[in-house]
Amino acid sequence: MTDRELLELAAKAAGIKLVWLDPHGPRGARPYHADSGVGGGWNPLEDDGEVFRLAVAFPTINLNNIISEARQVEETAQSQRRYVRRRFVEALAAIGALMKEESSNDI
């Protein structure tokens, strides 16, 4: 699954509508909150603060377990944070995938 697909599913789970700007830029497409207009980017794969805000909104995703895993498999603090961000977004994307599946079954 691409980062874009992960972010789209995570956003679906979080109830965030995304608009993709600059699809050919050096860092690829950047998601923005569609409801708040063109403003700050939203990318929990790169932003610890976004993961924290999502973790507060989704306490069923056990952040403590993900942090413990990161400490076991990654050596540096930077790689541990990257691991936590990705694993959290993957867990949130799994919720978004279930929501997408349910909405397609309703048709």
Side-chain angles (χ1 to χ4, degrees):
M1 183 175 296
T2 67
D3 286 355
R4 181 176 176 146
E5 292 168 327
L6 276 175
L7 291 170
E8 287 174 348
L9 289 172
K12 180 170 186 59
I16 296 170
K17 295 179 183 177
L18 297 180
V19 174
W20 292 88
L21 303 176
D22 192 20
H24 305 292
R27 299 186 66 163
R30 296 281 303 165
Y32 287 84
H33 284 274
D35 295 334
S36 63
V38 177
W42 182 84
N43 192 341
L45 289 172
E46 297 179 359
D47 187 337
D48 295 343
E50 290 295 345
V51 171
F52 178 76
R53 284 182 279 280
L54 290 167
V56 170
F58 291 87
T60 56
I61 298 175
N62 194 327
L63 192 56
N64 287 331
N65 286 350
I66 295 172
I67 292 168
S68 293
E69 288 174 16
R71 288 185 174 178
Q72 292 174 11
V73 299
E74 299 293 341
E75 292 184 17
T76 68
Q78 182 178 0
S79 62
Q80 289 171 1
R81 288 191 304 271
R82 186 178 322 113
Y83 180 93
V84 169
R85 289 191 305 267
R86 176 156 297 274
R87 293 280 290 147
F88 189 90
V89 171
E90 288 171 351
L92 191 57
I95 294 169
L98 289 173
M99 293 170 66
K100 184 177 179 180
E101 184 179 306
E102 287 176 5
S103 67
S104 66
N105 288 339
D106 291 342
I107 296 174

